[in-house]
Amino acid sequence: MSTRQFSVDGDVALVTGSSSGIGKAIAERFADDGVDVVVCSRAQENVDPVAAEINDSDRPGRALAVECDVTDRDAVDALVEATVEEFGGLDVLVNNAGASFMADFDDISPNGWQTIIDINVTGTYHCTHAAAEYLKDGGGSVINLASVAGQDGSPLMSPYGAAKAAVINFTTSLSNEWAGDDVRVNCIAPGYVATPGVESQMGVSADAIDREEVARRIGTVDEIADVAQFLSSPASSYVVGETITVRGVPQIGEDLEV
Ligand code: NAD
């Protein structure tokens, strides 16, 4: 039995919010696997080093850095155009750009609420809608990043939980609509992942994670990239409209211990 079906080799991928954290790890993994990848975030200077590092490495995939705020439809249209112009098409879209903040619901302003919905939900809509024509041209794949907050709820992050629940539901609806176009739409719902943001908020770094002593209460970005690679590869050809929870040991209502 071959393992080649786990390779995404030869595809073109676009990973939003890939200047850091999970998106950066997914972009690097794709390039490792021979995928040409477009990396994007809101500031060119944050995403240039990610592309440069890929292009300066011996990874078989090439990278293009594009500045794009996913809440700005004109910028998203330009991002998709730049992708197709550089690499000739688009096979895999990873809607990874996301954001949240912690606050009591009573203190959340209309602007704060709208910002979280715009980035996590409307950004996912813009990118998927803008890329539709290319994804449908030859059997594409969409991978949305949700969160366990969208499955279980999350006190002090109510707009984020609501937004990620919307992303999960959108995944199911679109997977059905686009099934006939040979585009698979799936979703990843991570629990805690050791990214720079989580490290600064919670003081837990990726270096503290020891899979020899199995706690499995916080994951690494590579463990999310593993699932993204699987979902974009032919190995997941019978996985459609699913949200894969990647959270280690379920930790509802417990304090985080690494
Ligand atoms: P991160 O903060 O390290 O990275 C987020 C990326 O999105 C950055 O590149 C940022 O610049 C970009 N971004 C933010 N707003 C944007 C916008 N409007 N337009 C374009 N880019 C924008 O985050 P992360 O922890 O790597 O999270 C990645 C995804 O995974 C997010 O959707 C997040 O909600 C989800 N997630 C993360 C965790 C975790 O514990 N880290 C857990 C569950 C879900």
Side-chain angles (χ1 to χ4, degrees):
M1 185 70 193
S2 162
T3 56
R4 276 201 51 75
Q5 70 273 24
F6 287 90
S7 173
V8 198
D9 183 12
D11 279 353
V12 175
L14 167 54
V15 185
T16 66
S18 37
S19 64
S20 68
I22 293 169
K24 178 169 179 269
I26 292 173
E28 290 170 348
R29 174 65 60 83
F30 281 164
D32 282 337
D33 203 20
V35 174
D36 291 326
V37 65
V38 175
V39 291
C40 98
S41 79
R42 284 160 299 176
Q44 189 75 39
E45 69 261 30
N46 291 338
V47 82
D48 275 341
V50 178
E53 202 262 328
I54 289 172
N55 289 329
D56 291 345
S57 72
D58 56 8
R59 294 178 167 99
R62 299 295 81 205
L64 173 72
V66 178
E67 179 177 296
C68 176
D69 182 331
V70 296
T71 66
D72 176 345
R73 181 53 184 260
D74 289 342
V76 169
D77 286 339
L79 169 69
V80 171
E81 273 172 37
T83 303
V84 173
E85 196 176 314
E86 180 76 9
F87 294 128
L90 176 57
D91 306 295
V92 180
L93 169 66
V94 183
N95 286 309
N96 170 80
S100 73
F101 61 86
M102 297 188 78
D104 281 325
F105 175 72
D106 296 5
D107 297 329
I108 295 170
S109 67
N111 182 52
W113 178 274
Q114 193 64 50
T115 298
I116 297 307
I117 300 299
D118 282 349
I119 296 172
N120 292 284
V121 185
T122 312
T124 296
Y125 156 73
H126 282 321
C127 294
T128 311
H129 198 248
E133 170 191 351
Y134 303 104
L135 293 166
K136 291 178 181 181
D137 181 17
S141 177
V142 178
I143 299 168
N144 296 322
L145 264 291
S147 166
V148 293
Q151 298 172 310
D152 301 338
S154 184
L156 304 180
M157 294 204 294
S158 56
Y160 179 72
K164 292 305 195 185
V167 168
I168 291 168
N169 192 281
F170 169 66
T171 299
T172 315
S173 301
L174 190 68
S175 72
N176 194 289
E177 278 195 39
W178 281 9
D181 298 301
D182 197 18
V183 180
R184 289 184 304 112
V185 186
N186 287 292
C187 182
I188 302 172
Y192 288 116
V193 180
T195 57
V198 166
E199 183 170 354
S200 69
Q201 264 186 20
M202 304 181 62
V204 181
S205 99
D207 299 339
I209 298 171
D210 181 358
R211 285 285 177 266
E212 296 300 308
E213 295 180 22
V214 187
R216 298 194 198 284
R217 297 300 173 116
I218 183 163
T220 66
V221 292
D222 285 329
E223 288 172 321
I224 306 302
D226 288 337
V227 181
Q229 183 180 9
F230 168 67
L231 287 177
S232 48
S233 75
S236 61
S237 62
Y238 199 41
V239 182
V240 180
E242 296 294 337
T243 293
I244 312 287
T245 305
V246 189
R247 68 154 18 156
V249 181
Q251 50 191 280
I252 305 160
E254 296 174 30
D255 291 333
L256 174 67
E257 285 173 31
V258 177

